[in-house]
Coordinates of all heavy atoms in Angstrom, one line a residue:
Y1 N 27.9 -19.8 -1.2 CA 28.3 -18.7 -0.2 C 27.3 -17.8 0.1 O 26.4 -17.5 -0.7 CB 29.5 -18.0 -0.9 CG 30.7 -19.0 -1.2 CD1 30.9 -19.4 -2.5 CD2 31.6 -19.4 -0.2 CE1 32.0 -20.2 -2.9 CE2 32.7 -20.1 -0.6 CZ 32.9 -20.6 -1.9 OH 33.9 -21.4 -2.2
V2 N 27.3 -17.2 1.3 CA 26.4 -16.2 1.7 C 27.3 -15.0 2.0 O 28.2 -15.1 2.9 CB 25.6 -16.6 2.9 CG1 24.7 -15.4 3.4 CG2 24.7 -17.8 2.6
V3 N 27.0 -13.9 1.5 CA 27.8 -12.6 1.8 C 26.7 -11.6 2.2 O 25.6 -11.5 1.6 CB 28.4 -12.1 0.6 CG1 29.2 -10.8 0.9 CG2 29.4 -13.1 0.0
A4 N 26.9 -11.0 3.4 CA 25.9 -10.1 4.0 C 26.5 -8.9 4.5 O 27.2 -8.9 5.5 CB 25.1 -10.8 5.1
P5 N 26.2 -7.8 3.8 CA 26.7 -6.5 4.3 C 25.9 -6.0 5.5 O 24.9 -6.5 5.7 CB 26.5 -5.6 3.1 CG 25.3 -6.1 2.3 CD 25.5 -7.6 2.6
Y6 N 26.4 -5.1 6.3 CA 25.7 -4.6 7.3 C 25.8 -3.1 7.3 O 26.8 -2.5 6.8 CB 26.1 -5.2 8.7 CG 27.6 -4.8 9.1 CD1 27.8 -3.7 9.9 CD2 28.6 -5.6 8.6 CE1 29.1 -3.5 10.4 CE2 29.9 -5.3 9.0 CZ 30.2 -4.3 9.9 OH 31.5 -3.9 10.2
S7 N 24.9 -2.4 8.0 CA 24.8 -0.9 7.9 C 25.4 -0.3 9.1 O 24.8 0.3 10.0 CB 23.4 -0.4 7.8 OG 22.6 -1.0 8.8
A8 N 26.8 -0.5 9.3 CA 27.5 0.0 10.4 C 27.4 1.6 10.5 O 27.6 2.3 9.6 CB 29.0 -0.3 10.3
G9 N 26.9 2.0 11.7 CA 26.8 3.4 12.0 C 25.5 4.0 11.4 O 25.3 5.2 11.6
K10 N 24.7 3.2 10.8 CA 23.4 3.7 10.3 C 22.3 2.9 10.9 O 22.4 1.8 11.2 CB 23.4 3.6 8.7 CG 24.5 4.5 8.1 CD 24.3 4.5 6.6 CE 25.3 5.3 5.8 NZ 26.2 6.1 6.3
R11 N 21.1 3.5 10.9 CA 19.9 2.9 11.4 C 19.5 1.8 10.5 O 18.9 0.8 10.8 CB 18.8 3.8 11.7 CG 19.1 4.8 12.8 CD 17.9 5.8 13.0 NE 17.5 6.4 11.8 CZ 16.2 6.3 11.3 NH1 15.3 5.7 12.0 NH2 15.8 6.9 10.2
S12 N 19.8 2.0 9.2 CA 19.2 1.1 8.2 C 20.0 1.1 6.9 O 20.7 2.2 6.6 CB 17.7 1.5 8.0 OG 17.3 1.1 6.8
F13 N 19.8 0.1 6.1 CA 20.4 0.1 4.8 C 19.7 1.2 3.9 O 20.2 1.6 2.9 CB 20.3 -1.2 4.0 CG 21.5 -2.0 4.3 CD1 21.4 -3.3 4.7 CD2 22.7 -1.6 3.9 CE1 22.5 -4.1 4.9 CE2 23.9 -2.4 4.1 CZ 23.7 -3.6 4.6
Y14 N 18.5 1.6 4.2 CA 17.7 2.5 3.4 C 18.5 3.8 3.3 O 18.2 4.6 2.4 CB 16.3 2.7 4.0 CG 15.4 3.2 3.1 CD1 14.8 2.3 2.1 CD2 14.9 4.5 3.0 CE1 14.0 2.8 1.1 CE2 14.1 5.0 2.0 CZ 13.6 4.1 1.1 OH 12.8 4.5 0.1
E15 N 19.4 4.1 4.2 CA 20.1 5.3 4.2 C 21.4 5.2 3.4 O 22.1 6.2 3.2 CB 20.5 5.8 5.7 CG 19.3 6.0 6.6 CD 19.7 6.3 8.0 OE1 20.9 6.2 8.4 OE2 18.8 6.4 8.8
E16 N 21.7 4.0 3.0 CA 23.0 3.7 2.2 C 22.7 3.9 0.7 O 21.7 3.5 0.2 CB 23.3 2.3 2.4 CG 24.8 2.0 2.2 CD 25.7 2.6 3.1 OE1 25.6 2.5 4.3 OE2 26.6 3.3 2.6
P17 N 23.7 4.6 0.1 CA 23.5 4.8 -1.4 C 23.5 3.4 -2.0 O 24.3 2.5 -1.8 CB 24.8 5.6 -1.8 CG 25.3 6.2 -0.5 CD 24.9 5.3 0.5
R18 N 22.6 3.2 -3.0 CA 22.5 2.0 -3.7 C 23.7 1.6 -4.5 O 24.1 0.4 -4.6 CB 21.3 2.0 -4.7 CG 19.9 2.4 -4.2 CD 19.6 1.8 -2.8 NE 18.3 2.1 -2.3 CZ 18.1 2.9 -1.2 NH1 19.1 3.4 -0.5 NH2 17.0 3.3 -0.8
K19 N 24.4 2.6 -5.0 CA 25.6 2.4 -5.7 C 26.6 1.8 -4.9 O 27.4 0.8 -5.2 CB 26.2 3.7 -6.3 CG 27.5 3.6 -7.1 CD 28.0 4.9 -7.5 CE 29.3 4.7 -8.2 NZ 29.9 6.0 -8.5
K20 N 26.7 2.1 -3.6 CA 27.6 1.5 -2.6 C 27.3 0.1 -2.4 O 28.3 -0.8 -2.3 CB 27.6 2.3 -1.3 CG 28.7 1.9 -0.4 CD 28.8 2.9 0.8 CE 29.8 2.5 1.8 NZ 29.8 3.4 3.0
L21 N 26.1 -0.3 -2.3 CA 25.7 -1.7 -2.1 C 26.1 -2.6 -3.4 O 26.6 -3.7 -3.3 CB 24.3 -1.8 -1.8 CG 23.9 -1.3 -0.5 CD1 22.3 -1.2 -0.4 CD2 24.4 -2.1 0.6
L22 N 25.9 -2.0 -4.6 CA 26.3 -2.7 -5.8 C 27.8 -2.8 -5.9 O 28.2 -3.9 -6.4 CB 25.6 -2.0 -7.0 CG 24.2 -2.1 -7.1 CD1 23.7 -1.2 -8.3 CD2 23.7 -3.5 -7.3
E23 N 28.5 -1.9 -5.5 CA 30.0 -1.9 -5.5 C 30.4 -3.0 -4.4 O 31.4 -3.7 -4.7 CB 30.6 -0.6 -5.1 CG 30.5 0.5 -6.1 CD 30.9 1.8 -5.7 OE1 31.2 2.1 -4.4 OE2 31.0 2.8 -6.5
F24 N 29.7 -3.2 -3.3 CA 30.0 -4.2 -2.4 C 29.8 -5.6 -3.0 O 30.7 -6.5 -2.9 CB 29.1 -4.0 -1.1 CG 29.2 -5.3 -0.2 CD1 30.4 -5.4 0.7 CD2 28.3 -6.3 -0.3 CE1 30.3 -6.6 1.5 CE2 28.4 -7.4 0.5 CZ 29.4 -7.6 1.4
L25 N 28.8 -5.7 -3.7 CA 28.5 -7.0 -4.5 C 29.6 -7.3 -5.4 O 30.1 -8.4 -5.5 CB 27.1 -6.9 -5.1 CG 26.9 -8.1 -6.1 CD1 26.7 -9.4 -5.1 CD2 25.6 -7.9 -6.9
S26 N 30.0 -6.3 -6.3 CA 31.1 -6.4 -7.2 C 32.4 -6.9 -6.5 O 33.1 -7.8 -6.9 CB 31.3 -5.2 -8.0 OG 30.2 -4.9 -8.8
W27 N 32.7 -6.3 -5.4 CA 33.9 -6.6 -4.5 C 33.8 -8.0 -4.0 O 34.7 -8.8 -4.1 CB 34.1 -5.6 -3.5 CG 35.1 -6.1 -2.4 CD1 36.5 -6.0 -2.6 CD2 34.8 -6.7 -1.2 NE1 37.1 -6.6 -1.5 CE2 36.2 -7.0 -0.6 CE3 33.7 -7.1 -0.5 CZ2 36.3 -7.6 0.6 CZ3 33.8 -7.7 0.7 CH2 35.1 -8.0 1.3
A28 N 32.6 -8.3 -3.5 CA 32.4 -9.6 -2.7 C 32.5 -10.8 -3.7 O 32.9 -11.9 -3.3 CB 31.0 -9.7 -2.1
T29 N 32.2 -10.6 -5.0 CA 32.3 -11.7 -6.0 C 33.6 -11.6 -6.8 O 33.7 -12.4 -7.7 CB 31.1 -11.7 -6.9 OG1 30.9 -10.4 -7.5 CG2 29.8 -11.9 -6.1
S30 N 34.5 -10.7 -6.5 CA 35.7 -10.6 -7.2 C 36.8 -11.3 -6.5 O 36.7 -11.8 -5.4 CB 36.2 -9.1 -7.3 OG 36.7 -8.7 -6.1
D31 N 38.0 -11.4 -7.2 CA 39.1 -12.2 -6.6 C 39.7 -11.5 -5.3 O 40.2 -12.1 -4.5 CB 40.3 -12.3 -7.6 CG 40.0 -13.3 -8.7 OD1 39.0 -14.1 -8.5 OD2 40.5 -13.2 -9.8
A32 N 39.5 -10.1 -5.2 CA 39.9 -9.4 -4.0 C 38.9 -9.5 -2.9 O 39.2 -9.0 -1.8 CB 40.0 -7.9 -4.4
G33 N 37.7 -10.1 -3.1 CA 36.7 -10.2 -2.0 C 37.1 -11.2 -1.0 O 38.1 -11.8 -1.0
P34 N 36.1 -11.5 -0.2 CA 36.3 -12.4 1.0 C 36.2 -13.9 0.7 O 36.5 -14.7 1.7 CB 35.1 -12.1 1.9 CG 34.0 -11.7 1.0 CD 34.7 -11.0 -0.3
L35 N 36.0 -14.3 -0.5 CA 35.8 -15.8 -0.7 C 37.1 -16.4 -0.8 O 38.2 -15.8 -1.1 CB 35.0 -15.9 -2.0 CG 33.6 -15.4 -2.0 CD1 32.9 -15.6 -3.4 CD2 32.8 -15.9 -0.9
P36 N 37.2 -17.7 -0.5 CA 38.5 -18.4 -0.6 C 39.1 -18.4 -2.0 O 38.4 -18.3 -3.0 CB 38.1 -19.9 -0.2 CG 36.8 -19.8 0.3 CD 36.1 -18.6 -0.2
P37 N 40.4 -18.4 -2.1 CA 41.1 -18.4 -3.4 C 40.6 -19.5 -4.3 O 40.4 -20.6 -3.8 CB 42.6 -18.6 -3.0 CG 42.7 -18.1 -1.6 CD 41.4 -18.4 -1.0
G38 N 40.2 -19.2 -5.5 CA 39.8 -20.2 -6.5 C 38.3 -20.4 -6.3 O 37.8 -21.2 -7.1
A39 N 37.6 -19.8 -5.5 CA 36.1 -20.0 -5.3 C 35.5 -19.5 -6.6 O 35.8 -18.4 -7.1 CB 35.6 -19.3 -4.1
A40 N 34.7 -20.3 -7.2 CA 34.0 -19.9 -8.4 C 32.6 -19.4 -8.0 O 31.9 -20.0 -7.3 CB 33.8 -21.1 -9.3
V41 N 32.3 -18.1 -8.5 CA 31.1 -17.5 -8.3 C 30.4 -17.4 -9.7 O 30.9 -16.7 -10.6 CB 31.2 -16.1 -7.7 CG1 29.9 -15.4 -7.5 CG2 31.9 -16.3 -6.3
D42 N 29.2 -18.1 -9.8 CA 28.5 -17.9 -11.0 C 27.6 -16.6 -10.9 O 26.6 -16.6 -10.2 CB 27.6 -19.1 -11.3 CG 26.9 -19.1 -12.6 OD1 26.7 -18.0 -13.2 OD2 26.3 -20.1 -13.0
R43 N 28.0 -15.5 -11.6 CA 27.3 -14.3 -11.4 C 25.8 -14.3 -11.9 O 25.0 -13.4 -11.6 CB 28.1 -13.1 -12.0 CG 29.4 -12.9 -11.3 CD 30.2 -11.9 -12.1 NE 31.6 -11.9 -11.6 CZ 32.1 -10.9 -10.8 NH1 31.3 -10.0 -10.4 NH2 33.2 -11.0 -10.4
R44 N 25.5 -15.3 -12.6 CA 24.1 -15.5 -13.1 C 23.3 -16.1 -12.0 O 22.0 -16.2 -12.2 CB 24.1 -16.3 -14.4 CG 24.8 -15.6 -15.6 CD 25.0 -16.6 -16.6 NE 25.8 -17.7 -16.1 CZ 26.0 -18.9 -16.6 NH1 25.4 -19.2 -17.8 NH2 26.7 -19.8 -16.1
R45 N 23.9 -16.5 -10.9 CA 23.1 -17.3 -9.8 C 23.2 -16.5 -8.6 O 23.2 -17.2 -7.5 CB 23.6 -18.7 -9.8 CG 23.3 -19.4 -11.1 CD 23.8 -20.8 -11.0 NE 23.0 -21.5 -9.9 CZ 23.3 -22.7 -9.4 NH1 24.4 -23.3 -9.8 NH2 22.5 -23.2 -8.5
I46 N 23.3 -15.2 -8.5 CA 23.3 -14.5 -7.3 C 21.9 -14.1 -6.9 O 21.2 -13.5 -7.8 CB 24.2 -13.3 -7.4 CG1 25.7 -13.7 -7.7 CG2 24.2 -12.4 -6.2 CD1 26.6 -12.5 -8.0
F47 N 21.5 -14.5 -5.7 CA 20.1 -14.1 -5.3 C 20.2 -13.1 -4.1 O 21.2 -13.0 -3.4 CB 19.4 -15.4 -4.8 CG 19.1 -16.3 -5.9 CD1 20.1 -17.2 -6.4 CD2 17.9 -16.4 -6.5 CE1 19.9 -18.1 -7.5 CE2 17.7 -17.2 -7.5 CZ 18.6 -18.1 -8.0
L48 N 19.1 -12.4 -3.9 CA 19.1 -11.3 -2.9 C 18.0 -11.6 -1.9 O 16.9 -12.1 -2.4 CB 18.8 -10.0 -3.6 CG 18.9 -8.8 -2.8 CD1 19.6 -7.7 -3.6 CD2 17.4 -8.3 -2.6
L49 N 18.2 -11.4 -0.7 CA 17.2 -11.5 0.4 C 17.1 -10.1 1.1 O 18.2 -9.6 1.5 CB 17.6 -12.6 1.4 CG 16.6 -12.7 2.6 CD1 16.1 -14.2 2.7 CD2 17.2 -12.2 3.8
G50 N 15.9 -9.7 1.3 CA 15.8 -8.4 2.1 C 14.6 -8.5 3.0 O 13.6 -9.1 2.7
F51 N 14.8 -7.9 4.1 CA 13.7 -7.9 5.2 C 13.6 -6.5 5.6 O 14.5 -5.7 5.9 CB 14.2 -8.7 6.4 CG 13.1 -8.7 7.5 CD1 12.0 -9.5 7.4 CD2 13.3 -7.9 8.6 CE1 11.1 -9.4 8.4 CE2 12.3 -7.8 9.5 CZ 11.2 -8.6 9.5
S52 N 12.3 -6.0 5.7 CA 11.9 -4.7 6.1 C 12.5 -3.6 5.2 O 12.3 -3.6 4.0 CB 12.2 -4.5 7.7 OG 11.6 -3.4 8.2
D53 N 13.3 -2.7 5.8 CA 14.0 -1.7 5.0 C 14.9 -2.3 3.9 O 14.9 -1.8 2.8 CB 14.8 -0.7 5.8 CG 14.0 0.3 6.5 OD1 12.8 0.5 6.2 OD2 14.5 1.1 7.4
G54 N 15.5 -3.5 4.3 CA 16.2 -4.2 3.4 C 15.4 -4.8 2.2 O 16.0 -4.9 1.1
A55 N 14.2 -5.0 2.5 CA 13.3 -5.5 1.4 C 13.0 -4.4 0.5 O 13.0 -4.6 -0.8 CB 12.0 -6.1 2.0
T56 N 12.8 -3.2 1.0 CA 12.6 -2.0 0.1 C 13.8 -1.8 -0.7 O 13.7 -1.6 -1.9 CB 12.2 -0.9 1.0 OG1 11.1 -1.2 1.8 CG2 11.8 0.4 0.2
V57 N 14.9 -1.8 -0.1 CA 16.2 -1.5 -0.9 C 16.4 -2.8 -1.9 O 16.8 -2.6 -3.0 CB 17.4 -1.4 0.0 CG1 18.7 -1.4 -0.7 CG2 17.3 -0.2 0.9
G58 N 16.0 -4.0 -1.4 CA 16.2 -5.2 -2.3 C 15.4 -5.0 -3.6 O 15.9 -5.4 -4.7
V59 N 14.2 -4.6 -3.5 CA 13.3 -4.4 -4.7 C 14.0 -3.4 -5.7 O 14.1 -3.6 -6.9 CB 11.9 -4.0 -4.3 CG1 11.1 -3.6 -5.6 CG2 11.2 -5.2 -3.7
E60 N 14.5 -2.3 -5.1 CA 15.2 -1.3 -5.9 C 16.4 -1.9 -6.5 O 16.6 -1.7 -7.7 CB 15.6 -0.1 -5.0 CG 14.4 0.8 -4.5 CD 14.9 1.8 -3.6 OE1 16.1 2.2 -3.6 OE2 14.0 2.4 -2.8
L61 N 17.2 -2.7 -5.8 CA 18.4 -3.3 -6.4 C 18.0 -4.3 -7.4 O 18.7 -4.6 -8.4 CB 19.2 -4.0 -5.3 CG 19.9 -3.0 -4.3 CD1 20.6 -3.8 -3.2 CD2 20.8 -2.1 -5.0
M62 N 16.9 -5.1 -7.3 CA 16.4 -6.0 -8.3 C 16.2 -5.4 -9.7 O 16.3 -6.0 -10.6 CB 15.2 -6.7 -7.8 CG 15.3 -7.6 -6.7 SD 16.5 -9.0 -7.0 CE 15.6 -9.9 -8.3
T63 N 15.8 -4.0 -9.7 CA 15.6 -3.4 -10.9 C 16.9 -3.2 -11.7 O 16.8 -3.0 -12.9 CB 14.9 -1.9 -10.8 OG1 15.9 -1.2 -10.1 CG2 13.6 -2.1 -10.0
T64 N 18.1 -3.5 -11.1 CA 19.3 -3.5 -11.9 C 19.5 -4.7 -12.7 O 20.4 -4.7 -13.6 CB 20.5 -3.3 -11.0 OG1 20.6 -4.5 -10.2 CG2 20.4 -2.0 -10.1
R65 N 18.7 -5.7 -12.5 CA 18.8 -7.0 -13.2 C 20.1 -7.7 -13.0 O 20.5 -8.5 -13.8 CB 18.4 -6.9 -14.6 CG 17.0 -6.2 -14.8 CD 16.4 -6.3 -16.2 NE 16.1 -7.6 -16.6 CZ 15.0 -8.3 -16.4 NH1 14.0 -7.8 -15.6 NH2 14.8 -9.5 -16.8
R66 N 20.8 -7.5 -11.9 CA 22.0 -8.1 -11.6 C 21.9 -9.3 -10.7 O 22.8 -10.0 -10.3 CB 23.0 -7.2 -10.9 CG 23.5 -6.0 -11.7 CD 24.4 -5.1 -11.0 NE 25.5 -5.8 -10.5 CZ 26.7 -5.2 -10.0 NH1 26.6 -3.9 -9.9 NH2 27.7 -5.8 -9.6
F67 N 20.6 -9.7 -10.4 CA 20.3 -10.8 -9.5 C 19.4 -11.8 -10.2 O 18.5 -11.4 -11.0 CB 19.6 -10.3 -8.2 CG 20.5 -9.3 -7.5 CD1 20.4 -7.9 -7.7 CD2 21.4 -9.7 -6.6 CE1 21.1 -7.0 -7.0 CE2 22.2 -8.8 -5.9 CZ 22.1 -7.5 -6.1
A68 N 19.6 -13.1 -9.9 CA 18.8 -14.1 -10.5 C 17.4 -14.2 -10.0 O 16.5 -14.7 -10.6 CB 19.5 -15.5 -10.3
G69 N 17.2 -13.8 -8.8 CA 16.0 -13.8 -8.0 C 16.1 -13.2 -6.7 O 17.1 -12.8 -6.2
S70 N 15.0 -13.2 -6.0 CA 15.0 -12.6 -4.6 C 13.9 -13.1 -3.7 O 12.9 -13.7 -4.2 CB 14.9 -11.1 -4.6 OG 13.6 -10.7 -5.1
V71 N 14.1 -13.0 -2.4 CA 13.1 -13.2 -1.3 C 12.9 -11.9 -0.7 O 13.9 -11.3 -0.2 CB 13.5 -14.3 -0.4 CG1 12.6 -14.4 0.7 CG2 13.8 -15.7 -1.0
I72 N 11.8 -11.3 -0.7 CA 11.5 -10.1 -0.1 C 10.4 -10.2 1.0 O 9.3 -10.7 0.7 CB 10.9 -9.1 -1.3 CG1 11.9 -9.0 -2.4 CG2 10.5 -7.8 -0.7 CD1 13.3 -8.3 -2.1
A73 N 10.8 -9.9 2.2 CA 9.9 -10.0 3.4 C 9.6 -8.6 4.1 O 10.6 -7.9 4.2 CB 10.5 -11.0 4.3
A74 N 8.4 -8.5 4.4 CA 8.0 -7.2 5.1 C 8.5 -5.9 4.4 O 9.0 -5.1 4.9 CB 8.6 -7.3 6.6
Y75 N 8.1 -6.0 3.1 CA 8.5 -4.9 2.2 C 7.8 -3.6 2.8 O 6.6 -3.6 3.1 CB 7.9 -5.2 0.8 CG 8.2 -4.2 -0.2 CD1 9.5 -3.8 -0.6 CD2 7.1 -3.7 -1.0 CE1 9.7 -2.9 -1.5 CE2 7.4 -2.8 -2.0 CZ 8.7 -2.4 -2.3 OH 8.9 -1.5 -3.3
G76 N 8.5 -2.5 2.7 CA 8.1 -1.3 3.4 C 7.3 -0.2 2.6 O 6.8 0.7 3.1
L77 N 7.3 -0.5 1.3 CA 6.6 0.5 0.4 C 5.1 0.4 0.5 O 4.6 -0.7 0.5 CB 7.0 0.4 -1.0 CG 6.3 1.3 -2.0 CD1 6.8 2.6 -2.0 CD2 6.5 0.7 -3.5
T78 N 4.5 1.5 0.7 CA 3.0 1.5 0.6 C 2.6 2.1 -0.7 O 3.2 3.0 -1.3 CB 2.4 2.4 1.7 OG1 2.9 3.7 1.6 CG2 2.7 1.8 3.1
G79 N 1.5 1.6 -1.3 CA 1.1 2.0 -2.6 C 1.7 1.1 -3.7 O 2.0 -0.1 -3.4
S80 N 1.7 1.6 -4.9 CA 2.1 0.8 -6.1 C 3.5 1.2 -6.6 O 3.9 2.3 -6.3 CB 1.1 1.1 -7.2 OG -0.2 0.7 -6.9
L81 N 4.2 0.2 -7.1 CA 5.5 0.5 -7.7 C 5.3 1.3 -8.9 O 4.3 1.1 -9.7 CB 6.2 -0.9 -8.1 CG 6.7 -1.7 -7.0 CD1 7.2 -3.1 -7.5 CD2 7.9 -1.1 -6.2
P82 N 6.3 2.1 -9.2 CA 6.2 2.9 -10.5 C 6.2 1.9 -11.7 O 6.8 0.8 -11.6 CB 7.5 3.8 -10.5 CG 7.9 3.8 -9.0 CD 7.4 2.5 -8.5
D83 N 5.6 2.3 -12.8 CA 5.5 1.5 -13.9 C 6.9 1.0 -14.4 O 7.0 -0.1 -14.9 CB 4.8 2.3 -15.1 CG 3.3 2.4 -14.9 OD1 2.8 1.7 -14.0 OD2 2.7 3.3 -15.5
R84 N 7.9 2.0 -14.4 CA 9.3 1.6 -14.9 C 9.8 0.5 -14.0 O 10.5 -0.5 -14.5 CB 10.1 2.8 -14.9 CG 11.6 2.5 -15.3 CD 11.7 2.2 -16.8 NE 13.1 2.0 -17.1 CZ 13.4 1.1 -18.0 NH1 12.6 0.4 -18.6 NH2 14.7 1.0 -18.2
A85 N 9.6 0.5 -12.7 CA 10.1 -0.5 -11.8 C 9.4 -1.9 -12.2 O 10.1 -2.9 -12.3 CB 9.9 -0.2 -10.4
V86 N 8.1 -1.8 -12.3 CA 7.4 -3.1 -12.7 C 8.0 -3.6 -14.0 O 8.2 -4.8 -14.1 CB 5.9 -2.8 -12.9 CG1 5.1 -4.0 -13.4 CG2 5.4 -2.4 -11.5
E87 N 8.2 -2.8 -15.0 CA 8.8 -3.2 -16.2 C 10.1 -3.9 -16.0 O 10.4 -4.9 -16.7 CB 8.9 -2.0 -17.2 CG 9.5 -2.3 -18.5 CD 9.7 -1.0 -19.4 OE1 8.7 -0.1 -19.3 OE2 10.7 -0.9 -20.1
L88 N 11.0 -3.2 -15.2 CA 12.3 -3.7 -15.0 C 12.3 -5.1 -14.2 O 13.2 -6.0 -14.3 CB 13.2 -2.7 -14.3 CG 13.6 -1.6 -15.1 CD1 14.2 -0.4 -14.3 CD2 14.6 -1.9 -16.2
L89 N 11.3 -5.3 -13.4 CA 11.2 -6.5 -12.5 C 10.6 -7.7 -13.3 O 10.6 -8.8 -12.8 CB 10.4 -6.2 -11.3 CG 11.1 -5.3 -10.4 CD1 10.2 -4.8 -9.2 CD2 12.4 -5.8 -9.8
R90 N 9.9 -7.4 -14.4 CA 9.2 -8.4 -15.2 C 10.1 -9.6 -15.5 O 11.2 -9.4 -16.0 CB 8.6 -7.8 -16.4 CG 7.6 -8.8 -17.1 CD 6.8 -8.1 -18.1 NE 5.7 -7.4 -17.5 CZ 5.5 -6.0 -17.6 NH1 6.3 -5.3 -18.4 NH2 4.5 -5.5 -17.0
G91 N 9.7 -10.8 -15.2 CA 10.5 -12.0 -15.6 C 11.5 -12.4 -14.6 O 12.1 -13.5 -14.7
I92 N 11.7 -11.6 -13.5 CA 12.7 -12.0 -12.5 C 11.9 -12.8 -11.3 O 10.9 -12.3 -10.8 CB 13.4 -10.8 -11.9 CG1 14.1 -10.0 -12.9 CG2 14.3 -11.3 -10.8 CD1 14.7 -8.7 -12.5
P93 N 12.3 -13.9 -11.0 CA 11.7 -14.7 -10.0 C 11.8 -14.0 -8.6 O 12.9 -13.6 -8.2 CB 12.4 -16.0 -9.8 CG 13.1 -16.2 -11.2 CD 13.4 -14.8 -11.6
M94 N 10.7 -13.7 -7.9 CA 10.7 -13.1 -6.6 C 9.6 -13.7 -5.8 O 8.5 -14.0 -6.2 CB 10.3 -11.6 -6.8 CG 11.4 -10.7 -7.6 SD 10.8 -9.0 -7.8 CE 11.1 -8.4 -6.1
W95 N 10.0 -14.0 -4.6 CA 9.1 -14.5 -3.6 C 8.9 -13.3 -2.6 O 9.8 -12.9 -1.9 CB 9.6 -15.8 -2.9 CG 8.7 -16.3 -1.8 CD1 7.4 -16.2 -1.8 CD2 9.1 -17.1 -0.7 NE1 6.9 -16.9 -0.7 CE2 7.9 -17.5 0.0 CE3 10.3 -17.5 -0.2 CZ2 7.9 -18.2 1.1 CZ3 10.3 -18.3 1.0 CH2 9.1 -18.6 1.6
V96 N 7.7 -12.8 -2.5 CA 7.4 -11.6 -1.7 C 6.3 -12.0 -0.7 O 5.3 -12.5 -1.1 CB 6.9 -10.4 -2.6 CG1 6.6 -9.3 -1.8 CG2 7.9 -10.1 -3.6
F97 N 6.6 -11.7 0.5 CA 5.5 -12.0 1.5 C 5.6 -10.9 2.6 O 6.6 -10.2 2.8 CB 5.6 -13.4 2.1 CG 7.0 -13.7 2.8 CD1 7.1 -13.6 4.1 CD2 8.0 -14.1 2.0 CE1 8.4 -13.9 4.7 CE2 9.3 -14.4 2.5 CZ 9.4 -14.3 3.9
H98 N 4.4 -10.7 3.2 CA 4.2 -9.6 4.2 C 3.1 -10.1 5.1 O 2.1 -10.6 4.7 CB 3.9 -8.4 3.5 CG 4.0 -7.2 4.3 ND1 5.1 -6.4 4.4 CD2 3.1 -6.6 5.1 CE1 4.9 -5.4 5.2 NE2 3.8 -5.4 5.6
S99 N 3.2 -9.8 6.4 CA 2.2 -10.2 7.4 C 1.3 -9.0 7.7 O 1.7 -7.9 7.6 CB 2.9 -10.7 8.7 OG 2.0 -10.8 9.7
A100 N 0.2 -9.3 8.0 CA -0.9 -8.2 8.5 C -0.3 -7.5 9.7 O -0.7 -6.3 9.9 CB -2.2 -8.8 8.8
D101 N 0.6 -8.1 10.5 CA 1.1 -7.5 11.7 C 2.4 -6.7 11.4 O 3.0 -6.1 12.4 CB 1.4 -8.6 12.7 CG 0.2 -9.3 13.2 OD1 -1.0 -8.6 13.2 OD2 0.2 -10.4 13.6
D102 N 2.9 -6.7 10.2 CA 4.2 -5.9 9.9 C 3.9 -4.5 9.7 O 3.0 -4.0 9.3 CB 4.8 -6.5 8.6 CG 5.4 -7.8 8.8 OD1 5.9 -8.1 10.0 OD2 5.5 -8.6 7.9

């Protein structure tokens, strides 16, 4: 299954509280969510994809360790990640790419 929230009324997910996105994930994988009745969701196999501002938010969400891995494209942070973030991301599979034109 693919579940994709959108930032209705906002320019970007970057303006959305991270807690709200994690609550969306909990709802989307629950019995009350949008999946068909009886759909089995292996919570250990939830992956995250983020592009641009969504990539920046995606890296932040990955530090919660609720995702099995991620694809991060056109990540918006300049500079280095804080040491704590690097520590929390250690061991999580991530495919990160960025173009010179981004």
Side-chain angles (χ1 to χ4, degrees):
Y1 300 100
V2 174
V3 179
Y6 64 97
S7 54
K10 297 189 180 348
R11 295 180 309 126
S12 161
F13 269 127
Y14 202 74
E15 299 173 2
E16 199 67 54
R18 306 316 180 248
K19 180 181 178 190
K20 190 172 179 182
L21 292 168
L22 291 171
E23 288 171 352
F24 170 81
L25 175 66
S26 293
W27 168 80
T29 58
S30 75
D31 290 338
L35 301 179
V41 176
D42 184 346
R43 293 174 192 258
R44 297 167 299 165
R45 296 182 64 196
I46 297 175
F47 292 82
L48 186 137
L49 177 128
F51 179 79
S52 192
D53 281 349
T56 305
V57 172
V59 170
E60 292 177 20
L61 293 176
M62 290 299 295
T63 64
T64 66
R65 302 192 67 82
R66 291 181 62 174
F67 302 91
S70 66
V71 175
I72 302 296
Y75 182 57
L77 177 74
T78 57
S80 299
L81 287 173
D83 290 341
R84 179 68 177 143
V86 172
E87 179 184 321
L88 290 169
L89 294 169
R90 187 169 285 121
I92 300 174
M94 296 177 72
W95 181 27
V96 181
F97 57 98
H98 195 90
S99 170
D101 296 332
D102 287 330

